[in-house]
Coordinates of all heavy atoms in Angstrom, one line a residue:
M1 N -3.9 20.2 -4.3 CA -3.4 19.2 -3.3 C -1.9 19.3 -3.3 O -1.2 19.4 -4.4 CB -3.8 17.8 -3.7 CG -5.1 17.4 -3.1 SD -4.9 15.9 -2.1 CE -5.0 14.7 -3.4
K2 N -1.3 19.3 -2.1 CA 0.2 19.3 -2.1 C 0.7 18.0 -2.2 O 0.1 17.0 -1.8 CB 0.7 20.1 -0.9 CG 0.7 19.3 0.4 CD 1.0 20.2 1.5 CE 1.0 19.4 2.8 NZ 2.3 18.7 3.1
R3 N 1.9 17.9 -2.8 CA 2.5 16.5 -2.9 C 3.1 16.1 -1.6 O 3.5 16.9 -0.8 CB 3.6 16.6 -3.9 CG 3.1 17.0 -5.3 CD 4.3 17.4 -6.2 NE 5.2 16.3 -6.5 CZ 6.3 16.4 -7.0 NH1 6.8 17.6 -7.4 NH2 7.1 15.4 -7.3
P4 N 3.0 14.8 -1.3 CA 3.6 14.3 -0.1 C 5.1 14.6 0.0 O 5.8 14.4 -1.0 CB 3.2 12.8 -0.1 CG 2.8 12.5 -1.4 CD 2.5 13.7 -2.2
T5 N 5.6 15.0 1.1 CA 7.0 15.2 1.3 C 7.7 13.8 1.5 O 7.0 12.8 1.8 CB 7.3 16.1 2.4 OG1 6.9 15.5 3.6 CG2 6.6 17.4 2.3
R6 N 8.9 13.8 1.4 CA 9.6 12.6 1.7 C 9.4 12.1 3.1 O 9.2 10.9 3.4 CB 11.1 12.8 1.5 CG 11.9 11.5 1.5 CD 13.2 11.6 0.8 NE 13.9 12.9 1.0 CZ 15.2 13.0 1.1 NH1 16.0 12.0 1.1 NH2 15.7 14.2 1.2
D7 N 9.3 13.1 4.0 CA 9.0 12.7 5.4 C 7.7 12.1 5.6 O 7.5 11.1 6.3 CB 9.1 14.0 6.3 CG 9.4 13.7 7.7 OD1 10.3 12.9 8.0 OD2 8.7 14.3 8.6
E8 N 6.7 12.6 4.9 CA 5.3 12.1 5.0 C 5.3 10.7 4.4 O 4.6 9.8 5.0 CB 4.3 13.0 4.3 CG 3.9 14.2 5.1 CD 3.3 15.3 4.3 OE1 3.2 15.2 3.0 OE2 2.8 16.2 4.9
R9 N 6.0 10.5 3.3 CA 6.0 9.1 2.8 C 6.7 8.2 3.7 O 6.3 7.0 3.9 CB 6.8 9.1 1.4 CG 5.8 9.4 0.3 CD 6.4 9.0 -1.0 NE 7.5 9.9 -1.3 CZ 8.3 9.8 -2.4 NH1 8.0 8.9 -3.3 NH2 9.3 10.7 -2.6
H10 N 7.7 8.7 4.4 CA 8.5 7.8 5.3 C 7.5 7.4 6.5 O 7.6 6.3 6.9 CB 9.7 8.6 5.9 CG 10.7 7.6 6.4 ND1 11.7 7.1 5.7 CD2 10.8 7.2 7.7 CE1 12.4 6.3 6.5 NE2 11.9 6.3 7.7
H11 N 6.7 8.3 6.9 CA 5.8 8.0 8.0 C 4.7 7.0 7.6 O 4.4 6.1 8.3 CB 5.1 9.3 8.5 CG 6.0 10.0 9.5 ND1 6.4 11.3 9.3 CD2 6.5 9.6 10.7 CE1 7.2 11.6 10.3 NE2 7.3 10.6 11.1
A12 N 4.2 7.2 6.3 CA 3.2 6.2 5.8 C 3.9 4.9 5.8 O 3.2 3.9 6.1 CB 2.8 6.7 4.4
C13 N 5.1 4.8 5.4 CA 5.8 3.5 5.3 C 6.0 2.9 6.7 O 5.7 1.7 6.8 CB 7.2 3.8 4.7 SG 8.2 2.3 4.7
A14 N 6.4 3.7 7.6 CA 6.6 3.2 9.0 C 5.4 2.6 9.6 O 5.4 1.7 10.4 CB 7.2 4.3 9.9
R15 N 4.2 3.2 9.3 CA 3.0 2.7 9.8 C 2.4 1.5 9.2 O 1.6 0.8 9.7 CB 1.9 3.8 9.6 CG 1.7 4.7 10.9 CD 0.6 5.7 10.6 NE 1.0 6.6 9.5 CZ 0.2 7.2 8.7 NH1 -1.1 7.0 8.8 NH2 0.6 8.0 7.7
K16 N 2.9 1.2 8.0 CA 2.3 0.1 7.2 C 3.1 -1.2 7.4 O 4.3 -1.2 7.6 CB 2.3 0.5 5.7 CG 1.2 1.4 5.4 CD 1.4 2.0 4.0 CE 0.4 3.0 3.6 NZ -0.8 2.3 3.0
R17 N 2.4 -2.3 7.2 CA 3.0 -3.6 7.1 C 3.8 -3.7 5.8 O 3.3 -3.3 4.8 CB 1.9 -4.6 7.3 CG 2.5 -6.0 7.4 CD 1.3 -7.0 7.5 NE 0.7 -6.9 8.9 CZ 0.8 -7.9 9.7 NH1 1.4 -9.1 9.3 NH2 0.3 -7.9 10.9
R18 N 4.9 -4.4 5.9 CA 5.7 -4.5 4.7 C 5.6 -6.0 4.2 O 5.6 -6.9 4.9 CB 7.2 -4.3 5.0 CG 7.4 -2.8 5.2 CD 8.8 -2.5 5.7 NE 8.7 -1.2 6.3 CZ 9.6 -0.7 7.2 NH1 10.6 -1.5 7.6 NH2 9.5 0.5 7.6
Y19 N 5.7 -6.1 2.9 CA 5.6 -7.4 2.2 C 6.8 -7.5 1.2 O 7.2 -6.5 0.7 CB 4.3 -7.6 1.5 CG 3.1 -7.4 2.4 CD1 2.4 -6.2 2.4 CD2 2.6 -8.5 3.1 CE1 1.4 -6.0 3.3 CE2 1.6 -8.3 4.0 CZ 0.9 -7.1 4.0 OH -0.2 -7.0 4.9
R20 N 7.3 -8.7 1.1 CA 8.4 -8.9 0.2 C 8.1 -8.9 -1.3 O 9.0 -8.7 -2.1 CB 9.1 -10.2 0.6 CG 10.1 -10.1 1.7 CD 10.9 -11.3 2.0 NE 10.1 -12.4 2.4 CZ 10.5 -13.6 2.6 NH1 11.8 -13.9 2.4 NH2 9.7 -14.5 3.0
S21 N 6.8 -9.1 -1.6 CA 6.5 -9.1 -3.0 C 5.0 -8.6 -3.1 O 4.3 -8.6 -2.1 CB 6.6 -10.5 -3.6 OG 5.6 -11.3 -3.1
S22 N 4.6 -8.3 -4.3 CA 3.2 -7.9 -4.5 C 2.3 -9.1 -4.2 O 1.2 -8.9 -3.7 CB 3.0 -7.3 -5.9 OG 3.3 -8.3 -6.8
G23 N 2.8 -10.3 -4.5 CA 2.0 -11.5 -4.2 C 1.8 -11.6 -2.8 O 0.7 -12.0 -2.3
D24 N 2.8 -11.4 -2.0 CA 2.6 -11.5 -0.5 C 1.6 -10.5 0.0 O 0.8 -10.8 0.9 CB 4.0 -11.2 0.2 CG 4.9 -12.4 0.2 OD1 4.5 -13.5 -0.3 OD2 6.0 -12.3 0.9
A25 N 1.7 -9.3 -0.5 CA 0.8 -8.2 -0.1 C -0.7 -8.6 -0.4 O -1.6 -8.5 0.4 CB 1.2 -6.9 -0.7
L26 N -0.8 -9.1 -1.7 CA -2.2 -9.4 -2.1 C -2.7 -10.6 -1.4 O -3.9 -10.7 -1.1 CB -2.2 -9.6 -3.6 CG -1.9 -8.3 -4.4 CD1 -1.8 -8.6 -5.9 CD2 -3.0 -7.3 -4.1
D27 N -1.8 -11.6 -1.1 CA -2.2 -12.7 -0.2 C -2.8 -12.3 1.1 O -3.8 -12.8 1.6 CB -1.0 -13.7 0.0 CG -0.9 -14.7 -1.1 OD1 -1.7 -14.7 -2.0 OD2 0.0 -15.5 -1.0
A28 N -2.1 -11.3 1.7 CA -2.6 -10.8 3.0 C -3.9 -10.2 2.9 O -4.8 -10.4 3.8 CB -1.5 -9.9 3.6
A29 N -4.1 -9.5 1.8 CA -5.4 -8.8 1.6 C -6.5 -9.9 1.4 O -7.6 -9.7 1.9 CB -5.4 -7.9 0.4
L30 N -6.1 -10.9 0.7 CA -7.1 -12.0 0.4 C -7.5 -12.7 1.7 O -8.6 -12.9 2.0 CB -6.4 -13.0 -0.5 CG -7.3 -14.0 -1.2 CD1 -8.2 -13.4 -2.2 CD2 -6.4 -15.1 -1.9
L31 N -6.5 -12.9 2.6 CA -6.8 -13.5 3.9 C -7.7 -12.7 4.7 O -8.5 -13.2 5.5 CB -5.5 -13.8 4.6 CG -4.6 -15.0 4.1 CD1 -3.3 -15.0 4.8 CD2 -5.4 -16.3 4.3
A32 N -7.5 -11.4 4.6 CA -8.4 -10.5 5.4 C -9.7 -10.3 4.7 O -10.6 -9.6 5.3 CB -7.6 -9.1 5.5
G33 N -9.9 -10.8 3.5 CA -11.1 -10.7 2.8 C -11.3 -9.3 2.2 O -12.5 -8.9 1.9
V34 N -10.3 -8.6 2.0 CA -10.4 -7.2 1.4 C -9.7 -7.0 0.1 O -9.3 -5.9 -0.3 CB -9.9 -6.1 2.5 CG1 -10.7 -6.1 3.7 CG2 -8.4 -6.4 2.8
E35 N -9.4 -8.1 -0.6 CA -8.6 -8.1 -1.8 C -9.2 -7.1 -2.9 O -8.5 -6.6 -3.7 CB -8.4 -9.5 -2.4 CG -9.5 -10.1 -3.1 CD -10.5 -10.8 -2.1 OE1 -10.3 -10.6 -0.9 OE2 -11.4 -11.5 -2.6
R36 N -10.6 -7.0 -2.8 CA -11.2 -6.1 -3.8 C -11.0 -4.6 -3.5 O -11.1 -3.8 -4.3 CB -12.7 -6.3 -3.8 CG -13.1 -7.6 -4.5 CD -14.5 -8.0 -4.2 NE -14.8 -9.2 -4.9 CZ -15.3 -9.3 -6.1 NH1 -15.4 -8.2 -6.8 NH2 -15.6 -10.4 -6.7
E37 N -10.6 -4.4 -2.2 CA -10.5 -3.0 -1.8 C -9.0 -2.5 -1.7 O -8.7 -1.4 -1.3 CB -11.2 -2.7 -0.5 CG -12.7 -3.0 -0.5 CD -13.2 -3.5 0.8 OE1 -12.8 -3.1 1.8 OE2 -14.0 -4.5 0.7
R38 N -8.1 -3.5 -1.9 CA -6.7 -3.1 -1.7 C -5.9 -3.4 -3.0 O -6.2 -4.2 -3.8 CB -6.1 -4.0 -0.6 CG -6.7 -3.9 0.8 CD -6.4 -2.5 1.4 NE -6.9 -2.5 2.8 CZ -8.1 -2.1 3.1 NH1 -8.9 -1.8 2.1 NH2 -8.5 -2.1 4.3
T39 N -4.9 -2.6 -3.1 CA -4.0 -2.8 -4.2 C -2.5 -2.7 -3.6 O -2.3 -2.1 -2.6 CB -4.2 -1.7 -5.2 OG1 -3.3 -1.9 -6.3 CG2 -3.9 -0.3 -4.6
A40 N -1.6 -3.5 -4.2 CA -0.3 -3.5 -3.7 C 0.6 -2.5 -4.5 O 0.4 -2.3 -5.7 CB 0.3 -4.9 -3.9
Y41 N 1.5 -1.8 -3.8 CA 2.4 -0.9 -4.5 C 3.8 -1.0 -3.9 O 4.0 -1.4 -2.8 CB 1.9 0.5 -4.3 CG 2.0 1.2 -3.0 CD1 3.1 1.9 -2.7 CD2 1.0 0.9 -2.0 CE1 3.2 2.5 -1.4 CE2 1.1 1.5 -0.8 CZ 2.2 2.3 -0.5 OH 2.4 2.8 0.8
H42 N 4.7 -0.8 -4.8 CA 6.1 -0.9 -4.4 C 6.5 0.4 -3.7 O 6.3 1.5 -4.2 CB 7.0 -1.1 -5.7 CG 8.4 -1.3 -5.3 ND1 9.4 -0.4 -5.7 CD2 9.0 -2.4 -4.7 CE1 10.5 -0.9 -5.2 NE2 10.3 -2.1 -4.7
C43 N 7.1 0.3 -2.6 CA 7.5 1.5 -1.8 C 8.9 1.9 -2.0 O 9.8 1.1 -1.9 CB 7.3 1.1 -0.3 SG 7.8 2.4 0.8
P44 N 9.0 3.2 -2.4 CA 10.4 3.7 -2.6 C 11.2 3.9 -1.4 O 12.4 4.1 -1.4 CB 10.1 5.0 -3.4 CG 8.8 5.4 -3.0 CD 8.0 4.2 -2.6
V45 N 10.5 4.0 -0.2 CA 11.2 4.2 1.0 C 11.9 3.0 1.5 O 13.1 3.0 1.8 CB 10.2 4.8 2.1 CG1 10.9 5.0 3.4 CG2 9.5 6.0 1.6
C46 N 11.2 1.9 1.6 CA 11.8 0.7 2.2 C 12.1 -0.4 1.1 O 12.8 -1.4 1.4 CB 10.9 0.1 3.2 SG 9.3 -0.6 2.6
G47 N 11.7 -0.1 -0.1 CA 12.0 -1.1 -1.2 C 11.1 -2.3 -1.1 O 11.4 -3.3 -1.9
Q48 N 10.1 -2.4 -0.2 CA 9.3 -3.5 -0.2 C 7.8 -3.1 -0.6 O 7.7 -2.0 -1.2 CB 9.3 -4.1 1.3 CG 10.7 -4.6 1.6 CD 10.7 -5.4 2.9 OE1 10.0 -6.5 2.9 NE2 11.4 -5.0 3.9
W49 N 6.9 -3.9 -0.3 CA 5.5 -3.7 -0.8 C 4.6 -3.4 0.3 O 4.7 -3.9 1.4 CB 5.0 -4.9 -1.6 CG 5.8 -5.1 -2.9 CD1 7.1 -5.6 -3.0 CD2 5.4 -4.8 -4.2 NE1 7.4 -5.6 -4.3 CE2 6.4 -5.1 -5.1 CE3 4.2 -4.2 -4.8 CZ2 6.3 -5.0 -6.5 CZ3 4.1 -4.0 -6.1 CH2 5.2 -4.4 -7.0
H50 N 3.6 -2.5 0.0 CA 2.5 -2.2 1.0 C 1.2 -2.4 0.3 O 1.1 -2.4 -0.9 CB 2.6 -0.8 1.5 CG 3.9 -0.4 2.2 ND1 4.3 -1.1 3.3 CD2 4.9 0.5 1.9 CE1 5.5 -0.5 3.7 NE2 5.8 0.4 2.8
L51 N 0.2 -2.4 1.1 CA -1.2 -2.4 0.6 C -1.7 -1.0 0.7 O -1.6 -0.4 1.8 CB -2.1 -3.4 1.4 CG -1.8 -4.9 1.1 CD1 -2.6 -5.7 2.1 CD2 -2.1 -5.2 -0.3
A52 N -2.4 -0.6 -0.3 CA -3.1 0.7 -0.3 C -4.6 0.5 -0.6 O -4.9 -0.5 -1.2 CB -2.5 1.7 -1.3
T53 N -5.4 1.4 0.0 CA -6.8 1.3 -0.3 C -7.1 1.7 -1.7 O -6.7 2.8 -2.2 CB -7.6 2.2 0.6 OG1 -7.2 1.8 2.0 CG2 -9.1 1.9 0.5
K54 N -7.8 0.9 -2.5 CA -8.2 1.3 -3.8 C -9.3 2.3 -3.8 O -10.2 2.2 -3.0 CB -8.8 0.0 -4.5 CG -7.9 -0.6 -5.5 CD -8.7 -1.7 -6.3 CE -7.9 -2.9 -6.4 NZ -8.7 -4.0 -7.1
P55 N -9.2 3.2 -4.7 CA -10.4 4.1 -4.8 C -11.6 3.3 -5.2 O -11.5 2.5 -6.1 CB -10.0 5.1 -5.9 CG -8.7 4.6 -6.5 CD -8.2 3.5 -5.7
A56 N -12.7 3.6 -4.6 CA -14.0 2.9 -4.9 C -14.4 3.1 -6.3 O -14.3 4.2 -6.8 CB -15.1 3.3 -4.0
R57 N -14.7 2.0 -7.0 CA -15.2 2.1 -8.4 C -16.7 2.0 -8.5 O -17.2 1.1 -7.9 CB -14.5 1.0 -9.1 CG -13.3 1.4 -9.9 CD -13.4 1.0 -11.3 NE -12.0 1.0 -11.8 CZ -11.5 0.1 -12.6 NH1 -12.2 -0.9 -13.0 NH2 -10.3 0.2 -13.0
R58 N -17.2 2.9 -9.2 CA -18.7 2.8 -9.5 C -19.0 2.0 -10.7 O -18.2 2.2 -11.7 CB -19.2 4.2 -9.6 CG -20.3 4.4 -8.5 CD -21.1 5.6 -8.9 NE -20.5 6.8 -8.3 CZ -20.9 8.1 -8.6 NH1 -21.8 8.2 -9.6 NH2 -20.4 9.1 -8.0
R59 N -20.0 1.2 -10.7 CA -20.3 0.5 -11.9 C -21.5 1.1 -12.6 O -22.5 1.4 -11.9 CB -20.7 -0.9 -11.6 CG -19.6 -1.6 -11.0 CD -19.9 -3.1 -11.1 NE -18.6 -3.8 -11.2 CZ -18.5 -4.9 -11.9 NH1 -19.4 -5.4 -12.6 NH2 -17.3 -5.5 -11.9
Ligands
ZN101 ZN1 7.7 1.2 2.8

């Protein structure tokens, strides 16, 4: 797998909603009812937080 380029990361950032904190991001996921499937991460492009889809976990 190739690593994402800075440009690709920038595009991912531009497409995503930004949150001021991980708490804000997770609150939004909670409101949408998808908190189990989302994780918050700090974005190096905009310095804010985005939600990413969590890899599905098998039990
Ligand atoms: Zn960003």
Side-chain angles (χ1 to χ4, degrees):
M1 269 237 281
K2 81 187 177 85
R3 297 165 67 191
T5 64
R6 191 158 33 146
D7 201 47
E8 280 164 352
R9 269 196 293 179
H10 199 88
H11 279 121
C13 171
R15 263 183 295 152
K16 285 169 181 269
R17 186 180 281 249
R18 287 168 199 163
Y19 302 95
R20 276 189 291 176
S21 69
S22 59
D24 276 5
L26 292 173
D27 269 0
L30 195 69
L31 284 174
V34 293
E35 75 278 8
R36 286 164 179 277
E37 296 147 43
R38 297 289 186 276
T39 183
Y41 71 95
H42 186 248
C43 176
V45 178
C46 66
Q48 297 193 60
W49 292 76
H50 300 299
L51 287 174
T53 306
K54 252 191 228 179
R57 261 229 200 140
R58 240 196 266 170
R59 303 197 148 216

